Amino acid sequence: MADPASLAQAAGELAGNAKALAQNLDRLAQQLSSLPPPVTSAGPPFVFELTVFVLAVFVGYYVVWRVTPALHSPLMSVTNAISSVIIVGALIAAGPHGISFAKIMGFVAVALAAVNIFGGFIVTQRMLQMFQRKK
Amino acid sequence: MGESYSAFLYLIASICFIMALRGLSSPETARGGNLYGIAGMVIAILTTLATPQVVSYWLIILGLVIGGAIGTAISWRIRMTALPQLVAAFHSLVGLAAVCVACAAFADPQAYGIGIKGNIHVESLIEMAIGLAIGAITFTGAVVAFAKLQGLVSGAPLVFTGQHLLNAVLAAVLIFLVVIFVAGESPVVFALLVLLSFAFGFLLILPIGGADMPVVISMLNSYSGWAACGIGFTLSNSLLIITGGLVGSSGAILSYIMCKGMNRSIVNVILGGFGGEGVAAAAGGPGVGDRMVKSGSAEDAAFIMKNAGSVIIVPGYGMAVAQAQHALKAMADLLKKDGVKVEYAIHPVAGRMPGHMNVLLAEANVPYDDVKELEEINRDFASTDVAFVIGANDVTNPAAKTDPASPIYGMPILDVERARTVLFVKRSMASGYAGVDNELFFRDNTMMLFGDAKKMCDEIVKSLE
C-alpha cells in the first residue's frame, strides 16, 4: 500500500500529463484548422462544376430564344443586374475581421456590384412599366 | 448556416434568375419576372451574409449603401434614349467587380477554401486567371463602348495599321501569362495579367464603329456573364456558375441576332473598321449633289398621310437622337383618329442596342401590339400607302438586295420601297453609317422631309390638327 504522499505526487503527475496532453490536442486542432482546406473541403470536383455550367448554358439558350424581341433591352438590363450576383464572392472577401488588402478589394467589389444590382433592377422595372397594356 | 443549407438556398436563387429571364417572353409576365430576379438576388445576398466566413458587417453595409444609392439615383434619372450607354457602364462595373474579387481571392485564398497563400490549387489558379482576364477585358471594353455611345469620343471606328497584328500578339501574350501565372503564382505576373487584359479590352473595342454598338453591347453582356462564371469556378460556387452561364448565353444569342440583322459575322464586327472610309468617301463623293430628289414640307406630308388608308412608321436611331418618339406618337394618334391604320416596323438593329426602339416607343405610350418585328410586317409594305421613315436609312436600302458590291449586301431590310409613297425624315442627304447612298431617295415615289425628326413631327401634327 503506497503512502498518501506518493499517491498525491502520482496524482499530481497524472494531472500534469493530462494538461500537457490537452495542450497538445489544442495545438493539433489549431494546426488542423490552419492546414490548407483542400484535405477537408476541397469543394466539388471540376467535372461536377462543368456539368452545372453546361446545363446552365443550355437552359439560358432555350429560355433566351423565347424572349420576345420587343423586350431585348429589358433582357439586357436584367441580365446585367443578375450577373452582379458576383457580389457573393465580394461579400466573403469583405466579411472577415480586421483590415486587409482582400477585405478592401471585397468592399470595392460590393459597392460596384451594388450599383449594378440596384441600378439594373430599377431601370428594368422602369422599362417594363412602359410595356403595360394601355387602356 | 450549414453548407448544404446555403447550397440549397443558392439553388433557389438560381431558379429565381431563370424565372426572371423566362418572364420576358411576353410583356404581361415580364414585370413578375423582374420581381423573381430581385427575390433571387436578395436570397443570394442574405445567404452569403449568413455563412460563417462573414463575421464583420460594417464595411459590407457601407458598400451596399454607397453602391445602392448611386445605382438608384442614376437609374431613376436616366433618360430612355441614354439607355445604351447606361447598360455599357453597368457592364464595365461587373467586369471591375470580377477583377476585385479575383484580387481578393488571390490575396486571401483561405477565405474561399481554395488553398493557402503561395499554394493555391492549380485548378483554382487557372479559373482565377481566366475569370480575371475576362473581367478586365469586359471592364475596359465597356468603358470604351460607353465613351463612344455617350459621345465622349468619336463613334467612328479607330483603325491604325498593324492593329490586328497587335491584338493577336496581345492575345498570345495573355495566354502565355496565364500559363506562367498558374506555374509560379507570382503576384507580379498577376498584376501584369490585369494590366494587359485592361489594354486588350481597350484595343478590342476601339476599332468598332458606333453603328455596330448593338453587337458590342450584347458581346460585353455575354463577357460579363463569362466573367461571373470564371469567378464561380474559382470559388466553386454553383450560383455564380449558373448565373454566369445564363447571362453569357443570353448575351451570345443577342450578339448572334444582331449580327444576323446586319448580315455580318461576329469576326467581321470584332475586326472592326466597318463604315470608316465609306463615310468619308460618301461625304464628299459623287452621287449626292448631282441627282434630283423631291423634297416636301410638313404640310405635304400631313396631306399625304391624312388621305392614306394605312401608314407604316419605320423608326431608327435618328428618332432616338432627336427624342422624337412623343411627337411621333401624337402624329400617329391624329392619323388614327382620321381612320388611318398606323403600325410601326422595327428592324432588329435599329438604334444602339437590341430592342432600343421598342423601349422608346413604349415610353411614348405606343401600344406594343402596334409595334411589329421585321418578319411580321415586311410583307405588308406592298399593300401600304405610306411608309414613314424617321431617322432610319441603311435598314431600308434596297442595295442590300440588288447590289452585291455594296457593303450592306445581304442584310435583311424593311421593304419600304414597296409602299406606294415613301416619306423620309432626315436632317440632310448624308449617308447612313454604312457610308452608302440610298437609291430610294431618288425614286419618284419618295419625298424627302428635311429637318430635325422631332420638329418635323411637331409640324406635321400642327398641320393635321
Side-chain angles (χ1 to χ4, degrees):
Chain A
M1 194 69 196
D3 58 303
S6 69
L7 206 73
Q9 204 189 347
E13 266 171 37
L14 214 73
N17 275 349
K19 202 173 161 198
L21 256 173
Q23 269 171 358
N24 261 343
L25 208 68
D26 254 6
R27 245 207 324 273
L28 258 173
Q30 252 168 21
Q31 270 175 1
L32 204 69
S33 66
S34 65
L35 264 182
V39 197
T40 48
S41 62
F46 178 72
V47 181
F48 174 74
E49 291 172 3
L50 193 69
T51 310
V52 171
F53 170 69
V54 172
L55 290 180
V57 169
F58 268 89
V59 170
Y61 180 85
Y62 287 106
V63 171
V64 171
W65 270 118
R66 296 195 56 174
V67 172
T68 165
L71 294 178
H72 276 165
S73 285
L75 170 67
M76 199 158 260
S77 62
V78 85
T79 50
N80 192 255
I82 67 174
S83 65
S84 313
V85 75
I86 205 161
I87 197 170
V88 164
L91 291 174
I92 292 171
H97 286 300
I99 287 287
S100 63
F101 174 73
K103 186 163 170 138
I104 293 175
M105 277 294 130
F107 164 70
V108 175
V110 167
L112 292 173
V115 172
N116 237 335
I117 291 170
F118 282 79
F121 280 124
I122 291 175
V123 93
T124 309
Q125 195 64 21
R126 271 187 64 195
M127 264 190 261
L128 294 176
Q129 218 73 51
M130 298 169 184
F131 280 93
Q132 299 213 45
R133 198 176 284 276
K134 310 286 157 23
K135 289 176 186 99
Chain B
M1 194 183 301
E3 223 166 88
S4 49
Y5 277 118
S6 51
F8 180 68
L9 289 171
Y10 281 153
L11 174 64
I12 293 182
S14 313
I15 292 172
C16 285
F17 290 154
I18 295 173
M19 295 301 286
L21 301 191
R22 180 68 185 78
L24 288 169
S25 56
S26 100
E28 271 100 69
T29 55
R31 273 182 307 283
N34 200 36
L35 294 182
Y36 268 114
I38 296 172
M41 190 58 78
V42 170
I43 293 173
I45 292 176
L46 291 182
T47 306
T48 314
L49 288 179
T51 51
Q53 290 103 311
V54 183
V55 284
S56 149
Y57 292 102
W58 66 276
L59 207 55
I60 291 174
I61 292 171
L62 187 68
L64 283 174
V65 168
I66 295 177
I70 297 174
T72 308
I74 294 176
S75 56
W76 269 120
R77 284 201 203 136
I78 196 80
R79 284 177 28 186
M80 284 299 141
T81 36
L83 214 53
Q85 46 267 53
L86 179 78
V87 169
F90 280 170
H91 286 330
S92 76
L93 298 184
V94 178
L96 195 56
V99 172
C100 289
V101 174
C103 285
F106 182 64
D108 185 12
Q110 251 172 292
Y112 297 99
I114 55 171
I116 51 169
K117 201 160 182 174
N119 188 15
I120 303 175
H121 312 315
V122 174
E123 221 173 60
S124 303
L125 276 179
I126 299 172
E127 293 157 353
M128 185 190 293
I130 293 173
L132 173 77
I134 301 176
I137 291 170
T138 311
F139 171 60
T140 46
V143 166
V144 176
F146 171 79
K148 286 194 177 202
L149 287 163
Q150 183 71 19
L152 299 177
V153 298
S154 156
L158 232 144
V159 266
F160 52 88
T161 41
Q163 193 165 31
H164 299 327
L165 187 69
L166 177 67
N167 284 349
V169 170
L170 263 182
V173 175
L174 260 181
I175 294 169
F176 181 67
L177 275 181
V178 169
V179 175
I180 303 255
F181 171 70
V182 172
E185 210 187 313
S186 139
V188 179
V189 179
F190 185 89
L192 270 179
L193 201 55
V194 176
L195 291 180
L196 208 70
S197 304
F198 278 156
F200 189 57
F202 189 73
L203 289 168
L204 201 60
I205 307 299
L206 264 192
I208 306 182
D212 284 340
M213 280 303 148
V215 185
V216 170
I217 295 198
S218 316
M219 220 165 66
L220 291 168
N221 191 213
S222 185
Y223 286 178
S224 67
W226 304 135
C229 241
I231 300 296
F233 273 106
T234 315
L235 310 183
S236 293
N237 183 316
S238 59
L239 172 63
L240 282 188
I241 298 176
I242 293 174
T243 314
L246 288 177
V247 175
S249 55
S250 160
I253 290 174
L254 287 178
S255 314
Y256 170 78
I257 295 175
M258 293 301 111
C259 281
K260 222 178 80 184
M262 296 193 288
N263 188 38
R264 304 188 32 215
S265 71
I266 187 87
V267 178
N268 183 293
V269 172
I270 293 171
L271 289 179
F274 188 69
E277 56 275 54
V279 172
V288 178
D290 49 357
R291 291 175 71 182
M292 288 294 290
V293 297
K294 201 163 61 180
S295 89
S297 66
E299 290 80 44
D300 301 333
F303 179 78
I304 292 172
M305 286 194 281
K306 204 171 188 163
N307 292 301
S310 54
V311 173
I312 295 179
I313 297 171
V314 180
Y317 184 58
M319 181 194 80
V321 173
Q323 304 259 8
Q325 64 270 31
H326 298 281
L328 186 67
K329 166 73 163 43
M331 182 189 98
D333 281 348
L334 286 173
L335 287 173
K336 274 186 173 175
K337 219 190 282 169
D338 282 346
V340 182
K341 185 183 171 207
V342 182
E343 285 179 316
Y344 299 79
I346 311 284
H347 192 276
V349 294
R352 286 293 188 259
M353 73 184 285
H356 194 188
M357 289 301 125
N358 302 79
V359 171
L360 293 180
L361 292 177
E363 187 194 13
N365 283 328
V366 172
Y368 56 75
D369 292 328
D370 289 359
V371 182
K372 301 284 191 327
E373 303 301 320
L374 183 135
E375 302 87 41
E376 272 179 283
I377 201 168
N378 225 2
R379 251 179 286 166
D380 299 348
F381 278 108
S383 55
T384 294
D385 295 322
V386 179
F388 185 80
V389 186
I390 175 163
N393 182 0
D394 291 328
V395 297
T396 65
N397 195 340
K401 283 189 188 164
T402 54
D403 179 9
S406 170
I408 59 170
Y409 183 69
M411 173 169 124
I413 58 159
L414 289 160
D415 292 327
V416 296
E417 55 171 330
R418 301 225 180 124
R420 198 161 305 144
T421 311
V422 185
L423 301 174
F424 264 101
V425 181
K426 252 180 136 297
R427 269 180 307 187
S428 66
M429 280 302 285
S431 55
Y433 64 77
V436 283
D437 273 335
N438 194 338
E439 183 61 28
L440 271 182
F441 299 165
F442 309 105
R443 297 258 173 101
D444 284 337
N445 63 343
T446 301
M447 183 194 273
M448 304 298 293
L449 305 167
F450 289 115
D452 175 78
K454 183 171 185 301
K455 268 188 208 144
M456 184 55 71
C457 288
D458 282 336
E459 281 168 33
I460 295 175
V461 166
K462 259 180 231 149
S463 314
L464 283 172
E465 273 168 349

